Amino acid sequence: MTTRRHDIDALRVIAFGLLILYHTGMAYVADWGFHIKSAHTAEWLQWPMLFMNRWRMCLLFMISGIAIALAAPEGRLLRFAGQRTWRLMLPLIFGMFVVVPIQPYCEGVSSGHVVPGFGDFLLRYWQVRPWPPHSFTGWEHGITWNHLWYLPYLWAYTLILVASMPLLSLPWVRGALATFCRAPAILFIGAPTALLTGFLLRLHPLYPDSGAFFGDWYQHAKYGFVFLAGYLLARDDAFWDRVVSMRKGMLATAMIAVTVWLGLRLAGQLLPPDAIAYRIPDSFWHPFAASVETLYLWTMLLAILGWGKVFLDRPFRWLPYATEAVYPWYMLHQSLIVLLVFVLKPMGLGAWLEPTLVIGGTVAGCALLHELVIRRVAFIRPLFGLKARQRANHEGHGAPSLAASSTMPALHHSR
């Protein structure tokens, strides 16, 4: 019997709520690539987007690691791996062929690389043959997973974790983790920050973000680390006591770090390169900026976990339903966003009305499709990562167990 951690479920729901706002913002932020862009883009949106995108995907990977740990699957590893494969890869395959295609269609038609006519496009898309260059993101593969990239990443990390669990359960490993959780703050914060900084400085220049899985080594290092950290630390009471007691200091540190980091980015945009080089030598500038960025990432993760434990670890009435809805909403939301921008853009509705309708339409579309179709039709449920109705009701009034919800994905196309 596992203990239900309501705060972990609630943080996942909140993070996915932010996902709709973030991906809507991708259509309106100036100078950032996305599948479709509105005519109403704004440079100021870059700053709140930067504030969020440095930690939000890491938070979701960390939550997944925590949820797996709290589910305690060590006595049933093969069964656990099989369940995770089914609940991650079936929705991925279905999503790539059925849910995602509207995105490359809208992208291709908007850029002039695809002839209008969704039926003809879909028949061609299902053939999984390379498209003419630049038809849409992923044209060279003939098919794309777009925002569903998180599913294969999480699947791979989960299988590697399952294979490593016997080693990770050794007494000396648990002892080292207990020592870390009780270590001085400079080590508790500084060691992970240093490791993440090393990834950023060494791997990112060689392997920039791609979302293509193969060769995406910087993202694998970063996301794999926080996923593993979530699993290793989740069952240590000292860790949770620590993040709760340090939550105010962690949040203050994160706010100072992000202020400095964003300030450095702003200075880099406004000051001429020779002026920047004169004030701060190149040998210091880049490592310092990277260190501040990763300090922000790690302390923000710990602050969110600490504050979440304090305020969210309670059985909210809305939480079981919302926990079940996360997976279908994740799969649907970006296709709805892209479709709505594609339809509304020619209407010239203005810089405030258009995004308001996009957000409202996305929320309404996700809610209606989940409530009226996905959760009610038996054969559709597993295609969106949901358990069979009888089994789901038995385990918690329609909400997946914590072990099941550990597979709930998050996504993001442009990191």
Side-chain angles (χ1 to χ4, degrees):
M1 190 71 179
T2 59
T3 301
R4 191 83 190 195
R5 281 288 300 274
H6 304 289
D7 55 316
I8 301 303
D9 289 339
L11 284 174
R12 184 186 297 107
V13 170
I14 293 169
F16 277 91
L18 292 175
L19 189 64
I20 292 176
L21 295 177
Y22 187 87
H23 279 154
T24 301
M26 288 297 297
Y28 293 91
V29 62
D31 302 324
W32 290 18
F34 193 55
H35 306 292
I36 191 169
K37 301 294 287 190
S38 170
H40 308 288
T41 59
E43 289 189 6
W44 66 265
L45 274 176
Q46 293 180 12
W47 302 106
M49 299 281 279
L50 284 169
F51 178 88
M52 188 188 305
N53 74 10
R54 284 307 181 266
W55 50 262
R56 64 186 196 84
M57 283 308 304
C58 287
L59 174 64
L60 286 159
F61 276 108
M62 195 171 198
I63 285 174
S64 292
I66 291 170
I68 290 175
L70 297 179
E74 285 80 359
R76 48 188 173 88
L77 293 182
L78 290 179
R79 180 184 176 189
F80 180 79
Q83 291 173 337
R84 290 304 171 267
T85 298
W86 175 257
R87 295 197 67 213
L88 290 170
M89 301 311 285
L90 177 63
L92 173 64
I93 295 170
F94 172 77
M96 290 174 66
F97 280 90
V98 179
V99 178
V100 168
I102 192 64
Q103 298 182 47
Y105 172 75
C106 293
E107 179 181 356
V109 172
S110 296
S111 63
H113 291 96
V114 171
V115 177
F118 184 63
D120 292 338
F121 172 86
L122 199 58
L123 291 176
R124 169 69 172 81
Y125 179 85
W126 283 344
Q127 296 175 30
V128 194
R129 294 186 289 111
W131 288 72
H134 312 298
S135 294
F136 54 83
T137 304
W139 61 267
E140 62 271 33
H141 306 295
I143 194 169
T144 181
W145 55 39
N146 279 13
H147 69 294
L148 300 183
W149 67 268
Y150 181 70
L151 296 177
Y153 282 58
L154 181 58
W155 174 73
Y157 301 164
T158 300
L159 293 190
I160 294 171
L161 177 61
V162 166
S164 305
M165 281 181 184
L167 174 62
L168 298 176
S169 299
L170 292 175
W172 69 267
V173 176
R174 305 311 305 180
L177 289 170
T179 300
F180 170 76
C181 291
R182 295 163 177 79
I186 191 171
L187 181 62
F188 188 67
I189 299 173
T193 298
L195 184 62
L196 291 166
T197 301
F199 294 156
L200 182 59
L201 291 173
R202 298 300 181 185
L203 293 178
H204 190 263
L206 300 175
Y207 308 103
D209 310 352
S210 69
F213 190 84
F214 296 104
D216 201 10
W217 297 115
Y218 167 65
Q219 298 289 15
H220 286 317
K222 179 175 65 173
Y223 295 142
F225 167 71
V226 295
F227 174 77
L228 179 61
Y231 171 78
L232 291 175
L233 298 171
R235 285 180 284 194
D236 194 312
D237 291 339
F239 170 74
W240 294 107
D241 293 341
R242 195 78 182 273
V243 295
V244 168
S245 66
M246 297 178 65
R247 66 188 187 279
K248 294 180 181 179
M250 290 292 185
L251 184 58
T253 302
M255 293 303 99
I256 293 171
V258 73
T259 300
V260 173
W261 178 63
L262 291 177
L264 293 175
R265 290 183 64 96
L266 182 61
Q269 291 181 8
L270 298 181
L271 296 177
D274 55 344
I276 296 173
Y278 176 77
R279 289 174 172 83
I280 304 178
D282 290 341
S283 59
F284 175 81
W285 173 268
H286 188 49
F288 177 71
S291 299
V292 174
E293 178 182 346
T294 53
L295 176 64
Y296 169 52
L297 163 60
W298 183 245
T299 53
M300 193 65 179
L301 290 178
L302 298 183
I304 290 171
L305 293 178
W307 287 100
K309 186 71 172 67
V310 171
F311 289 108
L312 299 177
D313 194 10
R314 61 196 68 184
F316 298 101
R317 293 182 62 183
W318 51 266
L319 190 54
Y321 184 89
T323 299
E324 181 194 57
V326 162
Y327 210 150
W329 281 52
Y330 158 70
M331 292 184 64
L332 294 169
H333 81 280
Q334 185 163 293
S335 290
L336 290 172
I337 290 171
V338 171
L339 176 61
L340 286 166
V341 174
F342 178 77
V343 171
L344 295 175
K345 182 177 178 179
M347 299 181 183
L349 298 177
W352 292 102
L353 180 57
E354 182 185 295
T356 301
L357 292 176
V358 170
I359 294 173
T362 300
V363 171
C366 288
L368 291 173
L369 287 170
H370 169 247
E371 175 58 32
L372 300 180
V373 181
I374 296 169
R375 72 187 302 259
R376 297 179 184 274
V377 181
F379 78 90
I380 293 181
R381 290 179 64 90
L383 299 177
F384 286 88
L386 302 184
K387 291 183 176 182
R389 176 175 292 277
Q390 182 178 1
R391 185 179 173 194
N393 289 340
H394 177 73
E395 291 189 2
H397 308 290
S401 67
L402 182 58
S405 66
S406 69
T407 64
M408 293 298 141
L411 190 275
H412 172 234
H413 172 72
S414 300
R415 299 177 180 85

